[in-house]
Amino acid sequence: MMLAIKEAASDMSPYVRKTAAHAIPKLYSLDSDQKDQLIEVIEKLLADKTTLVAGSVVMAFEEVCPERIDLIHKNYRKLCNLLIDVEEWGQVVIISMLTRYARTQFLSPTQNESLLEENPEKAFYGSEEDEAKGPGSEEAAAATLPTRKPYVMDPDHRLLLRNTKPLLQSRSAAVVMAVAQLYFHLAPKAEVGVIAKALVRLLRSHSEVQYVVLQNVATMSIKRRGMFEPYLKSFYIRSTDPTQIKVLKLEVLTNLANETNIPTVLREFQTYIRSMDKDFVAATIQAIGRCATNIGRVRDTCLNGLVQLLSNRDELVVAESVVVIKKLLQMQPAQHGEIIKHLAKLTDNIQVPMARASILWLIGEYCEHVPKIAPDVLRKMAKSFTAEEDIVKLQVINLAAKLYLTNSKQTKLLTQYVLSLAKYDQNYDIRDRARFTRQLIVPSEQGGVLSRHAKKLFLAPKPAPVLESSFKDRDHFQLGSLSHLLNAKATGYQELPDWPEEAPDPSVRNVEVPEWTKCSNREKRKEKEKPFYSDSEGESGPTESADSDPGSESESDSKSSSESGSGESSSASDNEDQDEDEEKGRSSESEQSEDGAKRKVKKRKVAAEGRGEDSSSDEGSDSSSSSSESEMSSESEEEQVEPASWSKKTPPSGKSAPAAKEISLLDLEDFTPPSVQPVSPSTAVSTSLAADLEGLTLTDSPLVPSLLSPVSGVRRQELLHRVAGEGLAVDYAFSRQPFSGDPHMVSVHVHFSNSSDTPIKSLHVGTPRLPAGISIQAFPEIESLAPGESATAVMGINFCDSTQAANFQLCTQTRQFYVSIQPPVGELMAPVFMSENEFKKEQGKLTGMNEITEKLTLLDTCRSDHIVVQKVTTTANLGRVPCGTSDEYRFAGKTLTSGSLVLLTLDARPAGPAQLTVNSEKMVIGTMLVKDLVQALTQ
């Protein structure tokens, strides 16, 4: 068999090699002594380039030698790149393995949250400033560096996250669950939220899938509650759900409850209590108790609701309510003496042992609040003592002991009677408790020492119980695993490793690339870069990048990451094909890191020329800082080519600076007036530096005026005609300014005019009757409006991302007028300012049903840049996004209520019809916006 497997592992057909990989775990289970030889076969198959073999060999690796993590190093990048094309079963196995691999090879992305920097440029420019301060400051900076060093994600860590993200859209629930657990265990907190929508989608699947997904969501929602809060309604319970699904959804709803949504959640729970499923009702009552414990302001409401349930006809509902009330009363016993009395009266009716025991414990613990009722309860329980369950008997003994210590005059004989009954009980626990209690509270000649402290022992103040989720400590198991589902370690489960304190050497994942391949690739890139860089600059970038320290993502490293799938190269043509295929997926990454290096070199050279220093020292520091820049090769860093007109508007390039002072990019905003005669901007900033600064976003503030095209005069609309208003005329306009009371509201300026002969007094908004979701923040009351006078007030309306009209009353001292404000769809959003790369990235996420495209014919008068921008921004409150081509316009905004992005692209090509594209999660808003814009642009 071993010979057959070795031979099959070298077969030309990938199906044969796949079958050989399947045979490896079987042979290992028959004879574990063959492990060393099987590992050699696994190592050979791990280098295979085909997607058919990848999943099978990783499964064999997991079965035979999961501890041999060194076998994965050279194949890590290849597995990440092949993942999207592997069959679903293989994807699950590979993702699970790579999750554990990443936990041993990369640093935790949450270890330094406060200093998390997605863009390491800040560290690079900060070091440049430190250089200028002199040798003393360098030593001080070096001393503080270890404590302030920001977290920079390893490029291979980012590669794994980037290549698994598209699989959240997989049709296989197992693949989606595997990616979700990977993101939960490996991604920075800011990025974990992307998995929520995918997991909620799985809740529409079969009940078996729902059960597994909800188990994992329940665990996630404890630590990352905000991730699932927008999808609260997806966890509402249907009457057709099986009991186990209902209980899990209840768990999630309880975890997601907070100060804001607790009224909605409690209304849901109120409905669930009327269910015929008694186990589900009991779980709902426990959930109400947990909500009351966690959210103090609803504690009394919950307690009153539970007390009302005590009159329910169903004994199980009453019993569960008693148990939960007991826990809640421990938090504020002094305020709820009446409830304790009410519970005491139930001892005759309630037969459920746990409920009876809870009532007896409460009466004994807080007997000072019910001094008259407690002895009577003990008398009744003494009568039925022999017929009670064991748990109730133990609490009767406790009650007798506490009453003996606090009210011995009335209860001494009763206590002795109860203890004598318990002394001969069949259960040894009860017999022991009775003997122990007797010695403790009734002092004898020998045992008087303990009895002096009996009150401290029995009546000690006890902390209120903390009602916690049963999923609180489950996250130590890997999510999605059988062990997590069972909350017990299953056979074959491999523990999720802890993050390392220091990152292991990343160079172990580098794959040697033949020298002739490097040369050919470098020549290709040089040809591409000729229009942008001179020969000398084009050569310096890759050389410095290649000479940098091993931690940086140099040209060869990033190239090897794209070609690591090659494994063993059988011929030159194979490598060339591999290079062409991989170039599509990863070339942008390597080019970006190379371009970034060149651009920095160029900036440093110009700065060095300005201060009269040798540029070679800057090149050395640039090479050392390339490791911090390696993160820029992630999704959002691509070459930006901005229009010349836009780049000229950036304020930094136009400000004057001292001729001898170093030009630091961090100081561009903070230029101080020069002490010497100022020179013209053209001499302070060379044209090459100005060109380098094109497209560089320093802060949002200088970009806002240049990007937001001014909207021509705000158009007023009539709200109330002066005839209908008996002399009061009211107009309104959407000001497009943020509303100070609530950023989710649309700011509406309301203009009042009094054209009558008498003053209008007490002008205000009456109580509105609004559709669900819509809310109004009224303007302050206008006390008096004299004849001929006008006044303007500002009110806020939350339209809940819909064009539904807000109907309300305008009231004066004598009259009421019914008015209505209906917003155009373009006024439901606010502008968003982003770079071209960010726009493309977000647009890529909003495709399919989230994309609406319409062709239109632009008039000749509507071809100029100014007219197009004016018409678009008049119709919709959007911000312009810089674009590299002159015939294309891009705008971005977000809806005010939900914050959903709205991206607009207008391709106004000279020949043929123009094309308008709107990308938005809100499909209704997108469709209406396209309709309005087509009408505006074609008129």
Side-chain angles (χ1 to χ4, degrees):
M1 277 302 298
M2 177 59 73
L3 289 171
I5 288 175
K6 284 184 175 179
E7 188 176 346
S10 305
D11 196 275
M12 289 178 64
S13 169
Y15 289 100
V16 176
R17 300 199 296 273
K18 179 187 180 77
T19 311
H22 286 167
I24 291 171
K26 181 65 176 174
L27 187 58
Y28 177 70
S29 66
L30 295 172
D31 183 7
S32 57
D33 294 337
Q34 305 283 343
K35 183 174 180 177
D36 291 339
Q37 293 185 60
L38 290 172
I39 288 175
E40 291 176 14
V41 181
I42 289 173
E43 187 173 10
K44 183 177 183 180
L45 288 173
L46 277 170
D48 201 299
K49 294 185 288 185
T50 57
T51 54
L52 272 172
V53 182
S56 303
V57 69
V58 171
M59 187 65 205
F61 169 84
E62 291 284 77
E63 292 282 336
V64 178
C65 54
E67 74 285 351
R68 286 290 306 273
I69 209 159
D70 56 295
L71 299 178
I72 304 298
H73 291 323
K74 297 291 183 185
N75 301 292
Y76 171 81
R77 293 171 183 165
K78 180 199 71 176
L79 287 171
C80 289
N81 288 321
L82 289 182
L83 192 57
I84 198 81
D85 296 317
V86 177
E87 79 278 5
E88 291 162 351
W89 173 81
Q91 286 173 341
V92 174
V93 175
I94 293 173
I95 290 170
S96 180
M97 183 273 292
L98 290 179
T99 302
R100 289 196 305 281
Y101 176 86
R103 286 287 287 250
T104 63
Q105 298 301 306
F106 307 128
L107 293 177
S108 168
T110 57
Q111 66 175 358
N112 201 358
E113 280 294 326
S114 59
L115 295 173
L116 183 65
E117 288 185 12
E118 276 300 310
N119 186 353
E121 277 189 80
K122 292 180 185 176
F124 169 76
Y125 290 121
S127 65
E128 187 179 22
E129 279 188 339
D130 293 341
E131 278 180 32
K133 290 178 185 174
S137 61
E138 279 182 14
E139 291 171 10
T144 58
L145 189 61
T147 56
R148 297 182 63 250
K149 186 178 180 182
Y151 168 77
V152 179
M153 185 177 283
D154 189 294
D156 288 326
H157 190 169
R158 171 60 64 194
L159 174 69
L160 176 60
L161 293 176
R162 186 170 64 242
N163 285 14
T164 50
K165 188 176 178 181
L167 295 176
L168 287 171
Q169 300 175 32
S170 172
R171 65 181 180 179
S172 167
V175 174
V176 175
M177 192 64 247
V179 178
Q181 66 83 25
L182 179 138
Y183 262 74
F184 183 79
H185 291 304
L186 302 182
K189 281 184 181 175
E191 297 178 30
V192 180
V194 299
I195 67 176
K197 194 172 184 179
L199 290 174
V200 168
R201 173 172 67 85
L202 296 184
L203 295 181
R204 303 191 187 108
S205 190
H206 306 294
S207 58
E208 295 84 0
V209 173
Q210 286 185 52
Y211 182 76
V212 176
V213 171
L214 285 168
Q215 288 263 2
N216 289 278
V217 170
T219 303
M220 293 180 192
S221 60
I222 293 170
K223 282 198 170 179
R224 308 275 169 86
R225 187 171 65 187
M227 191 164 77
F228 294 100
E229 279 178 6
Y231 306 100
L232 183 73
K233 290 185 180 179
S234 300
F235 300 103
Y236 284 177
I237 291 156
R238 298 182 179 87
S239 56
T240 54
D241 286 336
T243 303
Q244 65 269 24
I245 300 293
K246 288 179 180 176
V247 172
L248 283 172
K249 282 186 174 180
L250 204 59
E251 181 74 32
V252 176
L253 285 172
T254 311
N255 290 344
L256 298 183
N258 57 29
E259 293 273 355
T260 309
N261 59 29
I262 189 63
T264 312
V265 173
L266 286 179
R267 274 200 302 274
E268 277 292 304
F269 288 173
Q270 203 171 351
T271 311
Y272 302 158
I273 286 170
R274 294 195 288 271
S275 170
M276 299 300 292
D277 185 343
K278 299 309 168 194
D279 292 335
F280 171 51
V281 172
T284 304
I285 293 169
Q286 290 174 8
I288 292 172
R290 271 182 57 202
C291 289
T293 308
N294 299 335
I295 304 167
R297 77 180 180 91
V298 297
R299 190 171 298 147
D300 290 340
T301 309
C302 294
L303 200 53
N304 293 334
L306 291 170
V307 170
Q308 289 174 12
L309 288 178
L310 296 177
S311 57
N312 196 293
R313 283 178 293 182
D314 193 294
E315 192 178 3
L316 285 172
V317 173
V318 176
E320 198 64 46
S321 302
V322 168
V323 174
V324 174
I325 287 171
K326 171 219 164 189
K327 292 174 181 175
L328 294 180
L329 286 181
Q330 282 183 259
M331 297 178 184
Q332 297 169 320
Q335 300 176 17
H336 301 295
E338 288 301 317
I339 295 177
I340 297 173
K341 289 177 187 177
H342 184 56
L343 290 172
K345 293 173 186 175
L346 294 174
T347 49
D348 294 336
N349 303 323
I350 294 179
Q351 300 302 320
V352 178
M354 189 64 195
R356 289 173 73 82
S358 296
I359 293 173
L360 293 174
W361 184 91
L362 268 176
I363 294 169
E365 188 67 18
Y366 306 115
C367 52
E368 70 273 10
H369 298 299
V370 283
K372 295 179 180 178
I373 293 175
D376 195 46
V377 172
L378 180 61
R379 179 182 61 77
K380 287 181 182 179
M381 298 311 296
K383 273 186 184 181
S384 60
F385 184 84
T386 54
E388 297 289 350
E389 294 286 337
D390 291 346
I391 189 172
V392 180
K393 288 178 180 177
L394 289 171
Q395 290 305 325
V396 172
I397 295 170
N398 278 350
L399 175 62
K402 290 173 182 176
L403 288 176
Y404 182 88
L405 294 170
T406 57
N407 188 5
S408 59
K409 187 184 291 186
Q410 283 184 289
T411 58
K412 184 175 182 181
L413 293 173
L414 268 175
T415 303
Q416 289 176 351
Y417 175 67
V418 168
L419 292 176
S420 62
L421 286 175
K423 190 175 179 182
Y424 300 104
D425 195 88
Q426 293 177 350
N427 190 316
Y428 66 87
D429 282 337
I430 294 168
R431 294 199 301 271
D432 290 350
R433 177 71 65 89
R435 292 180 184 126
F436 164 73
T437 305
R438 181 185 291 278
Q439 289 297 321
L440 199 57
I441 64 174
V442 183
S444 60
E445 294 177 4
Q446 294 88 5
V449 180
L450 268 180
S451 62
R452 289 201 297 270
H453 303 287
K455 272 196 175 184
K456 287 183 182 178
L457 290 171
F458 277 101
L459 300 171
K462 299 170 183 66
V466 180
L467 301 179
E468 291 182 334
S469 169
S470 58
F471 289 83
K472 186 172 186 293
D473 298 318
R474 279 206 195 184
D475 61 340
H476 65 275
F477 290 117
Q478 187 171 350
L479 265 66
S481 64
L482 179 64
S483 298
H484 175 269
L485 193 73
L486 302 174
N487 199 23
K489 192 170 180 179
T491 308
Y493 174 73
Q494 294 175 42
E495 295 282 354
L496 196 64
D498 292 326
W499 292 101
E501 291 293 326
E502 293 184 6
D505 182 13
S507 64
V508 294
R509 289 182 291 279
N510 295 345
V511 180
E512 289 297 325
V513 182
E515 200 62 38
W516 58 269
T517 312
K518 290 184 186 177
C519 294
S520 63
N521 289 332
R522 193 172 295 181
E523 283 166 10
K524 286 179 191 174
R525 294 216 178 101
K526 282 182 184 176
E527 285 174 13
K528 290 180 186 176
E529 292 159 1
K530 277 179 185 174
F532 294 91
Y533 300 99
S534 66
D535 292 341
S536 60
E537 288 164 346
E539 288 166 7
S540 64
T543 307
E544 289 165 359
S545 176
D547 292 342
S548 63
D549 64 294
S552 68
E553 187 181 8
S554 62
E555 182 205 20
S556 61
D557 288 357
S558 62
K559 184 61 200 168
S560 65
S561 92
S562 69
E563 292 200 354
S564 59
S566 60
E568 300 178 31
S569 55
S570 57
S571 66
S573 61
D574 282 348
N575 273 302
E576 286 170 1
D577 292 340
Q578 170 84 12
D579 179 48
E580 287 171 8
D581 292 336
E582 297 286 343
E583 187 74 22
K584 295 174 185 174
R586 293 293 304 273
S587 63
S588 60
E589 183 179 358
S590 53
E591 284 173 17
Q592 287 150 17
S593 60
E594 219 173 295
D595 292 348
K598 291 172 183 172
R599 191 174 299 165
K600 292 179 191 69
V601 171
K602 192 169 182 180
K603 290 174 192 168
R604 302 291 290 268
K605 282 182 178 175
V606 173
E609 288 166 8
R611 62 178 184 265
E613 291 179 9
D614 184 12
S615 64
S616 61
S617 63
D618 285 339
E619 291 172 5
S621 66
D622 176 61
S623 137
S624 67
S625 67
S626 63
S627 62
S628 67
E629 289 297 321
S630 59
E631 175 61 16
M632 289 174 60
S633 61
S634 65
E635 309 166 50
S636 60
E637 298 294 325
E638 292 181 6
E639 181 66 34
Q640 294 187 9
V641 184
E642 313 295 338
S645 59
W646 183 68
S647 62
K648 286 175 185 173
K649 292 181 186 176
T650 52
S653 61
K655 295 196 178 182
S656 59
K661 187 182 175 183
E662 173 192 348
I663 299 169
S664 169
L665 290 180
L666 285 180
D667 293 333
L668 286 174
E669 261 189 297
D670 308 322
F671 273 96
T672 52
S675 55
V676 297
Q677 184 68 24
V679 293
S680 65
S682 59
T683 57
V685 184
S686 67
T687 54
S688 62
L689 179 59
D692 283 342
L693 289 176
E694 282 186 13
L696 181 65
T697 304
L698 296 174
T699 58
D700 286 342
S701 53
L703 293 178
V704 172
S706 61
L707 286 180
L708 180 60
S709 302
V711 178
S712 56
V714 178
R715 188 162 53 90
R716 282 190 188 176
Q717 300 176 55
E718 187 177 74
L719 187 63
L720 182 67
H721 192 269
R722 59 188 176 83
V723 176
E726 299 179 0
L728 175 65
V730 185
D731 299 331
Y732 70 94
F734 298 100
S735 66
R736 296 192 174 182
Q737 296 172 357
F739 184 66
S740 56
D742 183 352
H744 299 303
M745 287 189 165
V746 177
S747 180
V748 183
H749 283 207
V750 188
H751 183 75
F752 302 93
S753 299
N754 184 2
S755 56
S756 67
D757 299 331
T758 56
I760 299 172
K761 295 186 177 179
S762 184
L763 195 56
H764 64 280
V765 174
T767 306
R769 294 180 181 176
L770 300 167
I774 296 181
S775 58
I776 287 180
Q777 190 162 327
F779 54 83
E781 182 178 331
I782 299 173
E783 292 181 1
S784 180
L785 194 65
E789 273 193 0
S790 298
T792 302
V794 181
M795 64 189 296
I797 306 177
N798 185 347
F799 288 102
C800 202
D801 290 349
S802 75
T803 54
Q804 202 169 355
N807 302 310
F808 57 95
Q809 296 174 351
L810 270 180
C811 303
T812 65
Q813 197 170 29
T814 56
R815 289 295 309 273
Q816 292 180 344
F817 305 102
Y818 289 89
V819 293
S820 176
I821 294 179
Q822 184 168 15
V825 69
E827 301 299 337
L828 299 176
M829 50 198 75
V832 170
F833 304 102
M834 55 174 65
S835 67
E836 185 176 10
N837 294 326
E838 290 169 336
F839 184 93
K840 287 179 180 176
K841 176 184 167 186
E842 295 298 336
Q843 192 178 39
K845 298 176 186 175
L846 299 169
T847 54
M849 293 181 69
N850 295 322
E851 184 173 272
I852 300 103
T853 304
E854 187 75 33
K855 293 199 173 181
L856 64 154
T857 305
L858 293 178
L859 302 173
D860 293 336
T861 55
C862 193
R863 289 282 179 181
S864 71
D865 182 84
H866 175 70
I867 298 294
V868 170
V869 172
Q870 185 183 35
K871 282 183 178 285
V872 172
T873 51
T874 303
T875 307
N877 189 15
L878 300 172
R880 191 174 179 190
V881 175
C883 182
T885 57
S886 58
D887 295 330
E888 193 170 316
Y889 304 89
R890 292 187 180 134
F891 302 86
K894 63 178 179 181
T895 58
L896 285 170
T897 303
S898 64
S900 302
L901 278 178
V902 179
L903 308 177
L904 186 147
T905 309
L906 178 62
D907 188 356
R909 60 193 74 175
Q915 182 169 297
L916 178 68
T917 306
V918 172
N919 301 77
S920 176
E921 282 181 30
K922 303 277 185 181
M923 290 179 282
V924 177
I925 284 184
T927 307
M928 296 171 73
L929 185 59
V930 167
K931 185 179 176 183
D932 288 358
L933 286 168
V934 168
Q935 188 177 355
L937 292 168
T938 52
Q939 285 182 350

